[in-house]
Amino acid sequence: MHHKIITRVSMVLAVLCLFVAAAFAWLVSPAQVALATSSDATSAGAEDMLFVKYCGGCHTQDEMLAILRKDDDLAGNADSMQQFLKRHGKSSDEQDAQIVAALKELAADR
Amino acid sequence: MRDELMGLLFRGIVWFGVYVLLVLLPLGLALLRDPIDMARAWSLEFAVAIGLIAFAILAFEFALVSRLRSASEPFGTDSLMQFHRQMGVVGMVFLLLHVLLLVPHGVGLAMLNPLGGGTASQTGAIAFWALLLLGVTSASRTRLRLRYESWQWLHALTAVVVGGAALLHMLAVNHYLSNGVLRTTLLVYTVAFIALLLRYRVVRPLHLARHPWKVIRNESIGGDTRSLQIRPVGHKGLDFQPGQFVWLATGRRALTAQQHPITIASSAETGDPADIELAIKAFGDWSRDVVPKLTVGTRVWVDGPYGALTPDRFPGQGFVLIAGGIGITPMLSILRTMRDRGDVRPVLLVYAADRPERMVYQHELDALEKELNLRTVQVFESPPPEWQGERGLVSVALLRRHLPQHFKHYQFFVCGPAAMMDILEDQLLELGVPAAQICTERFNMG
Ligand SMILES: Cc1cc2nc3c(=O)[nH]c(=O)nc-3n(C[C@H](O)[C@H](O)[C@H](O)COP(=O)(O)OP(=O)(O)OC[C@H]3O[C@@H](n4cnc5c(N)ncnc54)[C@H](O)[C@@H]3O)c2cc1C
């Protein structure tokens, strides 16, 4: 078989693998997860989805809960978090409030 | 014959499809995990996906060169070897990308310390460094002056370390592998790898040990080449097609013997006893030092036949055989077989060598020219001044001067040094020979 054909097949296969890996990452990345779960309200609440969509790319829920509980100042920390989201987040003010309220509730519960 | 060709094509497509499927399957199975648990940045997921694919590619690297006859038949062993080398490079690049893409996500380069961190980082680092060692020793084997056999052992050992450490790394990270189906699949890949390795290193040699051959003639035929005639001992011998090759194992025991690919030069219409002839040119330590010492009566073993360069699979109205140097061996087998079968189809043999004294089987080729519908063109790169025939390299211009009128209906077989093959594969297409009618084999695998 031709040397060149095999080289081409290997290259095409390598590119195909890269595309499949990219598609996989896109499918499981936060925005898609939020979309995928938006029709399944029982498995995750709307606030959870917002968290996953806007924060989950870089932060875990546990990290956020630890920040909220810092120095036992739940209310103060929640205010700072909301201010932070207002300045840096891509979510609307209303969504910021929803995310922080849900996290606050969780932090108080656990 | 056409049916056999279509069958080969179909098998080739199926094998390739199975390979692609097995490489991508782990990623498909990773999708089965509940996505809400694993919401992480795209680049992080991409890095993980690349790592999973790299593992699957590397796990199947060995399958490509483990002499699975049904898988190698449609492509040819030399092609599978090339694919193995190129996919190995792809796997290495993917693994490197995997590490680099993880750096912005807090996985510092300190993770490459095999003694630091936890199990996940240690095993990852071991896999990384072992793969680097494997790549460097493969790419610079001659510069490092590694003997082919020593390199083969090192290659196998590092491959086992890479595979084992990468699997342990994924188990220790326990992200996607907490998915039982994926974990089981990757364990199956590992078991398949071990099974193939055992078949290759233990089962096949034990089988060979029960089917020994003995040397009945070993003589120099000029051009730094020896003709070795061997006879099956206590078994029927080989059923092969003209142009195919075997792995000749020499040494004290079949289990530890050195194995080298050598084309069968004799006719496929073997007699009784079914002796075969091999022509071996002195290249390196084995062919130069070991082969001449294979005295009459020495026990050897033969694994085969393998290879796809044969008119029995690629029939044509006629044949054009182009041989460079010791690449004449498959052509000789084809011609001898045609003689024994009374095949009168037209053949053009273009035989290229450095100088006339480097040519082998000259007298026999002259005799075959009288017995068959054969025309031979000799080409010398550095001919003596009195030489009147073709000189230089085999080129399109040279072929145009000699090809028969209906050459586009002929089947072309080409075997020679890598440089000649690179040129001819392109030039034959330029001449208008359909790709399906060009069959090539390279004698250098490493
Ligand atoms: C399909 C095929 C058919 C061949 N037919 C013939 C033939 O009919 N006559 C002939 O003289 N030569 C033939 N060769 C080449 C022959 O296999 C090598 O020349 C021989 O193995 C050299 O071994 P060495 O130790 O003397 O030389 P080295 O210097 O050790 O090796 C030279 C090269 O040979 C190849 N090689 C060496 N050992 C092995 C091995 N164990 N497995 C795979 N490749 C190896 C490698 O590409 C290496 O770079 C064939 C090769 C292939 C792939």
Side-chain angles (χ1 to χ4, degrees), chain B residues 241-411:
Chain B
Q241 295 174 330
Q244 286 195 299
F245 73 94
V246 293
W247 295 82
L248 176 66
T250 58
R252 274 213 219 133
R253 272 184 292 272
L255 205 62
T256 51
Q258 266 194 50
Q259 301 197 6
H260 291 260
I262 301 291
T263 305
I264 306 168
S266 37
S267 166
E269 299 297 315
T270 47
D272 185 17
D275 298 347
I276 59 172
E277 183 187 349
L278 309 167
I280 304 172
K281 184 169 175 161
F283 272 113
D285 48 354
W286 174 78
S287 46
R288 209 175 283 285
D289 304 334
V290 177
V291 172
K293 291 187 191 129
L294 298 173
T295 49
V296 171
T298 308
R299 207 141 273 224
V300 294
W301 299 272
V302 167
D303 183 13
Y306 295 95
L309 185 121
T310 168
D312 284 11
R313 283 191 206 160
F314 297 97
Q317 281 184 10
F319 302 105
V320 176
L321 314 177
I322 307 175
I326 196 63
I328 190 68
T329 48
M331 313 311 175
L332 193 63
S333 172
I334 291 170
L335 294 172
R336 284 171 162 177
T337 308
M338 287 182 81
R339 177 198 58 202
D340 293 350
R341 290 179 183 167
D343 193 333
V344 292
R345 282 177 288 179
V347 185
L348 171 71
L349 169 69
V350 179
Y351 183 10
D354 227 19
R355 300 181 301 275
E357 60 272 24
R358 309 292 292 169
M359 285 198 153
V360 287
Y361 297 106
Q362 182 90 57
H363 294 302
E364 187 167 352
L365 289 172
D366 289 345
L368 282 166
E369 214 164 6
K370 295 190 186 87
E371 292 171 288
L372 290 168
N373 188 359
L374 166 71
R375 194 156 53 86
T376 305
V377 176
Q378 296 177 343
V379 190
F380 299 115
E381 217 180 319
S382 328
E386 67 277 13
W387 173 248
Q388 303 281 315
E390 293 289 359
R391 55 181 65 220
L393 300 173
V394 181
S395 63
V396 171
L398 182 147
L399 288 175
R400 276 213 179 97
R401 284 197 286 278
H402 299 283
L403 283 175
Q405 197 187 354
H406 300 294
F407 71 86
K408 286 183 189 163
H409 301 291
Y410 280 37
Q411 186 67 42

Side-chain angles (χ1 to χ4, degrees), chain A residues 1-4 6-7 9-10 13-14 16-18 20-22 24-30 33 37 44 52 56-57, chain B residues 16 19-20 27 30-31 39-42 45-46 49-50 53 75 79 82-83 86-87 94 176 425-426 435 438 440 442:
Chain A
M1 202 184 252
H2 297 260
H3 209 243
K4 278 208 178 128
I6 298 160
T7 306
V9 168
S10 308
L13 197 55
L16 173 77
C17 287
L18 283 175
V20 172
F24 171 87
W26 181 75
L27 276 172
V28 300
S29 66
V33 172
T37 49
V52 168
Chain B
F16 184 68
Y19 175 80
V20 175
L27 222 51
L31 277 177
R40 301 186 298 185
W42 181 89
E45 292 297 353
F46 183 63
I50 290 279
I53 293 180
F75 310 102
S79 302
Q82 186 197 338
F83 188 60
Q86 290 175 339
M87 289 315 289
F94 279 16
Y176 285 108
E425 280 179 0
D426 283 345
I438 308 170
T440 62
R442 286 164 190 257

Side-chain angles (χ1 to χ4, degrees), chain B residues 141-152:
Chain B
R141 177 175 63 82
T142 31
R143 235 172 298 150
L144 295 170
R145 291 165 191 266
L146 272 175
R147 279 181 63 231
Y148 193 87
E149 291 72 29
S150 322
W151 167 81
Q152 257 185 332

Side-chain angles (χ1 to χ4, degrees), chain B residues 59-83:
Chain B
F60 284 99
E61 274 292 90
F62 183 62
L64 297 173
V65 290
S66 60
R67 303 190 203 168
L68 287 177
R69 198 166 295 144
S70 67
S72 70
E73 264 173 356
F75 310 102
T77 310
D78 59 333
S79 302
L80 277 188
M81 184 63 87
Q82 186 197 338
F83 188 60

